[in-house]
Amino acid sequence: MQKLFNKSVLILLCAVMVLSACLTGCKSNVPNFPVPLSDTTRSAFELSTKGYKDTELEKIYQFMLDDDIDAKKLHEKYEIQCLRKEDDGYSVRYVGNTKLLVLRFDDKGNWEKTDRLHSLYRVTETRGKFDALKEGDDVAKVQTADPTCYFPFLADSSSAYLRTDHYTQDGYHTIILYDNSFHITSVTSELM
């Protein structure tokens, strides 16, 4: 009888451990969004079946400002076709004629409000323009490669945002980080 009792307790203990492991270690990291993450082998250009005029991108951005908008409400009004995971959250991308609207959200689907210049980017030529840039280069070399880019730290010397984002017609997002002397510390590219 004692052996049967020990065996039952052991089985019950194993079942509790397995269930506990699943509940704590098997959490889903799917974001709280009305759409799944986009295919990472295709750019935002390829994923977007609805093209927007640049003026419509401005309207989408204004829509976000007008009310307490989350990802679900955004999707209801303007279908989300490109959702990407980023280091500190998620981004939704809308493609225009010459611009790209990038809206960043936390993992709960709440918009991380940023100013217009950190949301609306001009699409520049190709990723190849950034191939010559390397660590240690001055910001002036980046300005030559992408003269339409917004450089927040040059516009406002108190800005701690030492990063520029460059989106290209061939579907890439190039991120350039700078030190306090405005020299490049890293250049990385990923599919937009």
Side-chain angles (χ1 to χ4, degrees), residues 86-128:
E86 294 187 341
D87 291 339
D88 54 351
Y90 298 87
S91 69
V92 173
R93 299 169 185 190
Y94 291 98
V95 176
N97 298 19
T98 64
K99 295 181 180 178
L100 181 77
L101 177 63
V102 180
L103 301 171
R104 291 179 174 85
F105 294 85
D106 65 18
D107 60 353
K108 292 182 170 89
N110 298 313
W111 183 39
E112 294 179 348
K113 195 177 292 189
T114 55
D115 64 40
R116 185 182 160 281
L117 293 172
H118 285 102
S119 299
L120 200 56
Y121 298 91
R122 181 163 298 284
V123 177
T124 189
E125 295 177 29
T126 63
R127 183 177 74 162

Side-chain angles (χ1 to χ4, degrees), residues 2 6 22-23 34 47 51 61 92-93 109 146 151 164 168 170 176:
Q2 183 67 20
N6 287 345
C22 283
L23 291 175
L47 294 168
Y61 180 77
V92 173
R93 299 169 185 190
D146 188 359
F151 294 82
T164 53
T168 61
D170 55 352
I176 302 177

Side-chain angles (χ1 to χ4, degrees), residues 21-169:
C22 283
L23 291 175
T24 59
C26 302
K27 288 184 179 176
S28 171
N29 54 358
V30 175
N32 188 15
F33 283 87
V35 296
L37 289 173
S38 299
D39 178 358
T40 57
T41 64
R42 298 172 62 205
S43 75
F45 293 122
E46 297 170 294
L47 294 168
S48 298
T49 59
K50 176 174 178 23
Y52 291 94
K53 294 178 183 174
D54 291 344
T55 54
E56 290 175 302
L57 296 182
E58 295 276 359
K59 287 179 184 174
I60 296 171
Y61 180 77
Q62 190 60 47
F63 170 73
M64 296 300 293
L65 291 175
D66 286 344
D67 202 356
D68 186 25
I69 303 298
D70 61 8
K72 185 174 188 238
K73 289 178 187 173
L74 174 65
H75 181 65
E76 289 169 1
K77 178 97 171 158
Y78 299 100
E79 180 185 3
I80 296 173
Q81 296 183 331
C82 183
L83 175 66
R84 298 280 192 220
K85 173 75 176 116
E86 294 187 341
D87 291 339
D88 54 351
Y90 298 87
S91 69
V92 173
R93 299 169 185 190
Y94 291 98
V95 176
N97 298 19
T98 64
K99 295 181 180 178
L100 181 77
L101 177 63
V102 180
L103 301 171
R104 291 179 174 85
F105 294 85
D106 65 18
D107 60 353
K108 292 182 170 89
N110 298 313
W111 183 39
E112 294 179 348
K113 195 177 292 189
T114 55
D115 64 40
R116 185 182 160 281
L117 293 172
H118 285 102
S119 299
L120 200 56
Y121 298 91
R122 181 163 298 284
V123 177
T124 189
E125 295 177 29
T126 63
R127 183 177 74 162
K129 291 195 81 164
F130 302 100
D131 288 345
L133 300 174
K134 61 188 179 315
E135 188 176 324
D137 284 345
D138 187 70
V139 70
K141 195 166 181 180
V142 182
Q143 289 175 303
T144 302
D146 188 359
T148 64
C149 182
Y150 174 60
F151 294 82
F153 49 88
L154 296 178
D156 177 8
S157 60
S158 66
S159 175
Y161 196 74
L162 296 172
R163 166 184 166 153
T164 53
D165 293 270
H166 310 267
Y167 295 90
T168 61
Q169 294 169 356

